[in-house]
Amino acid sequence: MNLNGWQTYLVTQESISAGRSTQAIVEAAIAGGIDVVQLREKDTSAQQRYELGRELRSITAAHDIPLIVNDRVDIALAIDADGVHVGQSDLPVSVVREQLGTDALIGCSAATVDEATAAVDAGADYLGVGAVYGTTSKKVAGTKNGIGTDRVAKIVDAVDVPVIGIGGITADNAAAVIEAGATGVAVISEITAADDPTTATQTLAASITEVDHHV
């Protein structure tokens, strides 16, 4: 699987979807060209996440879109997801690798160069770096105002795996994250809270593809 093609990454959160189901948001995002979907839904029970995950696995598989599960290795295994994304306070990457095997995709959140290099050394396939900008939907200690694109660039320079920027990213500021060297951007509210998630996904993707990587 080519992770270097992950330009747009949707993290699900039904609580900000204006009453629409996560399934509907994911289908709309896929219609708009989303590259990867992460099942997050931290405010739901394990059973609810499992049931939702089974449905999302069916939807994403039909379109050949990777499905990543946030934190929960057990749910990822149960629904045959493509991988797991862990944070700094979750199971260590090395342990997740032992449980999921060599073929699974493992992402890890990082806000510093040290966190990033440690995650890659432990076997992370990609990094979720942020919060790049200030955000209300993803709380990261010490990043209330965002780590900024300069930090993203430093992390990109320090690792040899794809870096996905996350946190406060919109179609208006995504280009700066890509210009800093990130492979792509992950969003929650930019797509989920949009009046038209399909159009929002297309707009986000367009803002990234316009970036000249040779600048």
Side-chain angles (χ1 to χ4, degrees), residues 91-111:
L91 282 175
V93 170
S94 58
V95 174
V96 176
R97 177 64 70 199
E98 288 173 6
Q99 295 191 0
L100 292 183
T102 56
D103 293 338
L105 298 173
I106 300 176
C108 185
S109 298

Side-chain angles (χ1 to χ4, degrees), residues 16 29 81 86 96-98 135 159 164 174 207 209:
I16 61 169
V86 293
V96 176
R97 177 64 70 199
E98 288 173 6
T135 177
V159 300
I164 308 294
S207 72
T209 55

Side-chain angles (χ1 to χ4, degrees), residues 29-102:
I30 289 173
I34 202 76
D35 294 313
V36 56
V37 173
Q38 181 190 129
L39 170 62
R40 188 165 179 254
E41 307 298 346
K42 287 201 170 189
D43 52 356
T44 61
S45 69
Q47 173 147 359
Q48 288 173 316
R49 247 179 287 180
Y50 164 69
E51 296 291 351
L52 174 58
R54 288 182 63 191
E55 294 186 38
L56 293 187
R57 172 73 286 184
S58 177
I59 294 167
T60 55
H63 297 276
D64 201 25
I65 302 295
L67 177 64
I68 306 295
V69 174
N70 185 275
D71 298 351
R72 296 294 296 264
V73 175
D74 53 346
I75 293 176
L77 285 167
I79 66 171
D80 194 28
D82 294 290
V84 168
H85 188 95
V86 293
Q88 291 294 315
S89 61
D90 298 320
L91 282 175
V93 170
S94 58
V95 174
V96 176
R97 177 64 70 199
E98 288 173 6
Q99 295 191 0
L100 292 183
T102 56

Side-chain angles (χ1 to χ4, degrees), residues 130-213:
V132 180
Y133 304 109
T135 177
T136 56
S137 58
K138 188 171 175 62
K139 306 295 185 185
V140 181
T143 63
K144 181 179 178 182
N145 297 315
I147 62 173
T149 54
D150 287 345
R151 178 87 60 81
V152 174
K154 287 183 173 69
I155 291 173
V156 169
D157 287 343
V159 300
D160 58 0
V161 301
V163 166
I164 308 294
I166 188 170
I169 294 174
T170 68
D172 293 330
N173 61 29
V177 183
I178 303 302
E179 288 168 349
T183 298
V185 296
V187 299
I188 302 176
S189 56
E190 181 71 355
I191 291 174
T192 304
D195 290 338
D196 184 340
T198 297
T199 299
T201 305
Q202 292 169 332
T203 303
L204 179 66
S207 72
I208 293 170
T209 55
E210 288 171 4
V211 175
D212 182 356
H213 291 273

Side-chain angles (χ1 to χ4, degrees), residues 5-23:
W6 285 11
Q7 293 187 328
T8 56
Y9 185 128
L10 172 65
V11 181
T12 72
Q13 187 174 326
E14 191 169 291
S15 61
I16 61 169
S17 69
R20 296 165 296 189
S21 71
T22 291
Q23 295 94 317

